[in-house]
């Protein structure tokens, strides 16, 4: 996009939940999340201002089966604020009006073989 240099910094954590001690079943659970910040030097060419992004999720694993059920909430603050282009004109577009910047709730099922 010829947006010049950009920097991305994030922090993430995963916290195991001792659900196996509460429920007498061979299951495990973890809560995870991250928060990141993207700095873009030429915002006008990129089509969005500097932005934050985040994810919060949980996964429940049925240990003997190797099956995990997960849910995550992800989002950004793109389009929620107003930025200024090189001429001082305000823009709040989300990558040309695409709806890829909206918060999303995702469910997943995975199996380890």
């Amino acid at each position: 996009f010829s947006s010049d240099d950009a920097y991305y910094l994030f922090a993430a954590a995963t916290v195991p939940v001792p659900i196996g001690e509460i429920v007498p079943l061979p299951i495990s659970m973890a809560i995870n999340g991250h928060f990141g910040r993207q700095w873009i030097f030429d915002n006008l060419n990129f089509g969005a201002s500097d932005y934050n992004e985040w994810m919060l999720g949980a996964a429940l694993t049925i240990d003997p089966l190797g099956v995990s059920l997960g849910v995550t909430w992800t989002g950004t603050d793109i389009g929620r604020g107003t930025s200024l282009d090189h001429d001082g004109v305000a823009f709040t577009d989300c990558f040309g009006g695409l709806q890829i910047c909206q918060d999303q709730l995702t469910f997943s099922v995975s199996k380890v073989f």
Side-chain angles (χ1 to χ4, degrees):
F1 295 117
S2 299
S3 63
D4 204 3
D5 291 334
Y7 294 97
Y8 175 72
L9 181 66
F10 80 98
T14 299
V15 178
V17 177
I19 194 168
E21 297 173 11
I22 301 167
V23 180
L25 296 172
I27 59 176
S28 58
M29 184 175 178
I31 297 173
N32 55 45
H34 78 251
F35 180 85
R37 174 84 176 157
Q38 175 81 37
W39 291 273
I40 306 160
F41 286 100
D42 192 349
N43 298 92
L44 181 61
N45 284 338
F46 185 65
S49 60
D50 298 345
Y51 64 92
N52 299 313
E53 60 87 20
W54 52 83
M55 184 278 297
L56 182 64
L60 180 70
T61 302
I62 304 167
D63 296 321
L65 300 176
V67 174
S68 292
L69 307 172
V71 61
T72 57
W73 169 58
T74 57
T76 73
D77 64 354
I78 296 174
R80 295 184 184 168
T82 300
S83 299
L84 301 177
D85 67 16
H86 294 297
D87 299 319
V89 176
F91 69 95
T92 58
D93 220 6
C94 178
F95 295 108
L98 298 174
Q99 297 301 311
I100 61 173
C101 307
Q102 304 297 319
D103 290 359
Q104 298 289 321
L105 186 63
T106 306
F107 298 95
S108 64
V109 177
S110 63
K111 165 77 172 123
V112 176
F113 292 97

